[in-house]
Amino acid sequence: MTRSDPVIEWLLDSDPAIRWQVMRDLIDAPEPEWMAERAKVETEGWGAKLLSFQDEDGQWAGGAFLPADFDPREWRERGQPWTATNFSLSQLREFGLDPASERARRSVELIGANARWEEGGQPYWQGEVEECINGRTVADGAYFGVDVSAIVGRLTGERLKDGGWNCERCNGSVRSSFASTINVLEGLLEFERATGGTPQSRQARRTGEEFLLERSLFRRLGTGEPADERFLRFLHPNRWRYDILRALDYFRASAMLTGAVSDPRLAEAIQHLRSKRREDGRWPLDWSLPGRVWFEVDDGPGKPSRWITLRAMRVLRWWDMQSSIRP
């Protein structure tokens, strides 16, 4: 792929948060070039805009998981709000805010000093109780240089017998969920990238990956039927939600970190991903989550999505490059 490709040109005609990832993942730009583009996330476009909404105490919307002005009726009538600290920080990680920047370091310091989970009042970087939330907290903390090893230790001990995780474990669930599992896997992967991981965290990643691979990323183990038709429809931002593109992007990142060869059990999901490509080479946003946001980063469901296209293209590029070395 080159800059002259129409789809690449379209992706590059975008926000720094997308451009630097296109440069790194799709056109193999030299590291100094994509790093310079990545630095713009702090001062231009979506990254700068999201940072402008940050409270003086380091939080967003005055809360850890929920906005300070949250009313339960809002969730029922308009959907879950996505403006509080947990989701805003995850979005900055996705945008690629440089964790070494002064703004990033100051933000995580302020969040550690001032943010408290609504569930129990504990400090933010001690984690919450739900595995989904803690998986994202580990991913954010590890990315931004926070010691989240204690949360990692809890997560590795909360695996279910089938190898994955479920936020409903504390309510008696004994079967893992796709969504909880991918949230935790992403966190453990980021922790491993930052620290090398622990024997326990690496083993937990393997069993969590196996949970998804045994099910071809979307099927029920018992019947072979899709566990949820929405897993085959792409959304962005995912927040805590699961789809096969999120899982494929995770397996790509995992393989690139460890040097593992791509698993053939991803093939069905890859085939579905190819089938979703439009004639113009782009992928659409299939749906988006309701609820309060700071601003939109796509043009809406049914329209071409730069985020979905970026992620799909880098997954397929990785898969196709692996095809020559897979057994």
Side-chain angles (χ1 to χ4, degrees):
M1 284 176 275
T2 66
R3 291 175 184 265
S4 61
D5 181 297
V7 179
I8 295 294
E9 289 182 346
W10 174 68
L11 290 172
L12 290 172
D13 183 24
S14 182
D15 191 270
I18 287 180
R19 284 200 301 267
W20 79 266
Q21 297 185 66
V22 173
M23 294 168 70
R24 182 192 64 179
D25 299 336
L26 299 182
I27 62 174
D28 298 323
E31 184 172 348
E33 291 185 16
W34 63 255
M35 286 290 288
E37 190 64 36
R38 180 191 188 190
K40 297 177 184 177
V41 169
E42 182 180 353
T43 58
E44 300 178 17
W46 295 324
K49 189 173 184 179
L50 187 51
L51 285 167
S52 75
F53 293 117
Q54 190 176 23
D55 302 332
E56 289 187 4
D57 68 357
Q59 299 187 92
W60 277 265
F65 186 77
L66 295 168
D69 63 356
F70 173 71
D71 185 317
R73 288 178 299 179
E74 176 183 357
W75 199 317
R76 294 193 300 268
E77 297 171 4
R78 296 174 50 198
Q80 180 177 352
W82 309 106
T83 53
T85 302
N86 186 241
F87 297 105
S88 297
L89 196 58
S90 290
Q91 197 154 26
L92 282 175
R93 170 172 53 85
E94 183 176 70
F95 289 164
L97 178 66
D98 185 352
S101 68
E102 177 60 31
R103 183 63 185 268
R105 292 198 300 268
R106 180 62 175 159
S107 292
V108 297
E109 179 183 334
L110 286 170
I111 289 167
N114 299 310
R116 296 290 185 276
W117 292 105
E118 292 85 357
E119 162 270 327
Q122 65 273 34
Y124 191 88
W125 294 119
Q126 289 183 15
E128 218 238 20
V129 294
E130 290 194 11
E131 288 86 334
C132 276
I133 297 172
N134 280 340
R136 291 194 308 278
T137 304
V138 165
D140 295 339
Y143 178 85
F144 286 110
V146 179
D147 180 4
V148 288
S149 55
I151 312 177
V152 169
R154 286 165 51 193
L155 286 170
T156 60
E158 291 169 347
R159 272 182 301 163
L160 298 175
K161 289 184 178 180
D162 58 12
W165 292 264
N166 194 322
C167 287
E168 294 299 317
R169 176 191 54 83
C170 59
N171 295 322
S173 177
V174 296
R175 182 178 300 172
S176 297
S177 84
F178 289 80
S180 296
T181 298
I182 196 64
N183 277 269
V184 174
L185 283 175
E186 289 173 346
L188 294 181
L189 179 62
E190 199 66 58
F191 177 74
E192 191 170 325
R193 183 182 289 115
T195 69
T198 65
Q200 294 78 16
S201 71
R202 293 191 294 271
Q203 173 65 14
R205 273 216 310 123
R206 286 191 289 272
T207 66
E209 289 177 351
E210 191 63 23
F211 171 83
L212 296 179
L213 290 167
E214 285 181 331
R215 294 158 176 80
S216 300
L217 304 193
F218 69 97
R219 296 193 179 279
R220 295 187 186 279
L221 193 58
T223 66
E225 294 297 314
D228 189 327
E229 291 293 342
R230 288 174 295 184
F231 292 171
L232 298 171
R233 302 176 63 231
F234 304 148
L235 75 156
H236 184 84
N238 285 83
R239 313 297 186 185
W240 60 266
R241 293 278 192 165
Y242 178 92
D243 65 26
I244 62 168
L245 178 54
R246 182 176 184 175
L248 286 169
D249 211 8
Y250 162 82
F251 278 101
R252 168 194 169 273
S254 175
M256 294 187 72
L257 177 67
T258 64
V261 177
S262 55
D263 194 293
R265 289 173 291 179
L266 300 173
E268 187 177 10
I270 289 286
Q271 182 179 5
H272 180 76
L273 176 61
R274 292 191 197 277
S275 75
K276 298 281 287 183
R277 192 172 198 170
R278 296 165 25 129
E279 289 186 3
D280 63 5
R282 310 174 193 189
W283 277 260
L285 179 72
D286 290 326
W287 67 296
S288 58
L289 293 166
R292 192 193 331 175
V293 297
W294 289 116
F295 52 87
E296 300 290 346
V297 295
D298 267 308
D299 293 331
K303 298 181 180 179
S305 163
R306 286 181 171 87
W307 279 110
I308 300 296
T309 300
L310 162 65
R311 295 163 68 205
M313 289 180 72
R314 70 184 174 198
V315 163
L316 292 180
R317 186 181 193 225
W318 161 72
W319 179 263
D320 291 342
M321 290 174 69
Q322 289 276 301
S323 63
S324 62
I325 59 176
R326 281 196 299 272

